């Protein structure tokens, strides 16, 4: 393990950030201000968050500490068989990669959604 922290926002965390969730706001601030903190917004989850709360996608995409993860071919093939693309893209984004050998933690306000899934979560429920 390293001191680097990679966090994937799921659609519920993105919506919560737009509604003033203090924990989500702190994550966004740290990703912008502290070295070694990385925050990711999977495109499919970003779309779902914007459907729930219009304006969320544009706002999050404009923040300097948030990296929007595109839906590339590998991601599309991995999530195409899942029921919801937002959850599937978040889970895919949290898997280990060359840039994130330990994977990433999924920040969420719906921790039960992730029960039984092979991911680590960060509960942002106040």
């Amino acid at each position: 393990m390293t001191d680097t922290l990679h966090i994937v926002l799921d659609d519920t965390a993105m919506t919560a950030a737009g509604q003033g969730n203090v924990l989500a706001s702190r994550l966004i601030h740290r990703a912008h201000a502290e070295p070694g903190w990385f925050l990711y917004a999977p495109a499919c989850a970003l779309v779902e968050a914007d459907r729930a709360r219009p304006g969320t996608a544009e706002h999050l995409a404009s923040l300097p500490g948030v990296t929007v993860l595109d839906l590339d071919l590998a991601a599309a093939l991995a999530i195409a068989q899942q029921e919801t693309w937002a959850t599937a893209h978040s889970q895919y984004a949290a898997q280990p990669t060359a840039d994130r050998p330990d994977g990433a933690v999924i920040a969420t306000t719906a921790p039960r959604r992730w029960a039984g899934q092979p991911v680590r979560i960060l509960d942002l429920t106040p």
Side-chain angles (χ1 to χ4, degrees):
M1 290 293 275
T2 65
D3 291 336
T4 302
L5 186 58
H6 296 277
I7 301 172
V8 173
L9 297 171
D10 76 358
D11 57 305
T12 67
M14 292 180 205
T15 303
Q19 294 173 326
N21 180 295
V22 174
L23 298 173
S25 295
R26 286 181 185 165
L27 284 178
I28 292 167
H29 172 73
R30 285 188 166 207
H32 175 66
E34 294 185 29
W37 282 69
F38 300 93
L39 206 52
Y40 304 97
C44 292
L46 194 59
V47 168
E48 211 45 51
D50 201 67
R51 286 180 179 165
R53 188 170 190 280
T56 299
E58 185 175 359
H59 174 70
L60 282 172
S62 71
L63 296 174
V66 178
T67 301
V68 176
L69 299 177
D70 295 331
L71 182 63
D72 60 12
L73 179 58
L77 294 174
I79 70 173
Q81 299 175 17
Q82 299 293 327
E83 189 171 318
T84 65
W85 283 35
T87 302
H89 198 190
S90 297
Q91 183 174 344
Y92 175 81
Q95 300 307 307
T97 66
D99 294 338
R100 299 182 298 277
D102 295 324
V105 176
I106 296 178
T108 184
T109 60
R112 290 183 186 191
R113 170 194 286 181
W114 298 102
Q117 298 299 318
V119 295
R120 297 172 293 156
I121 65 162
L122 175 61
D123 187 353
L124 300 183
T125 305

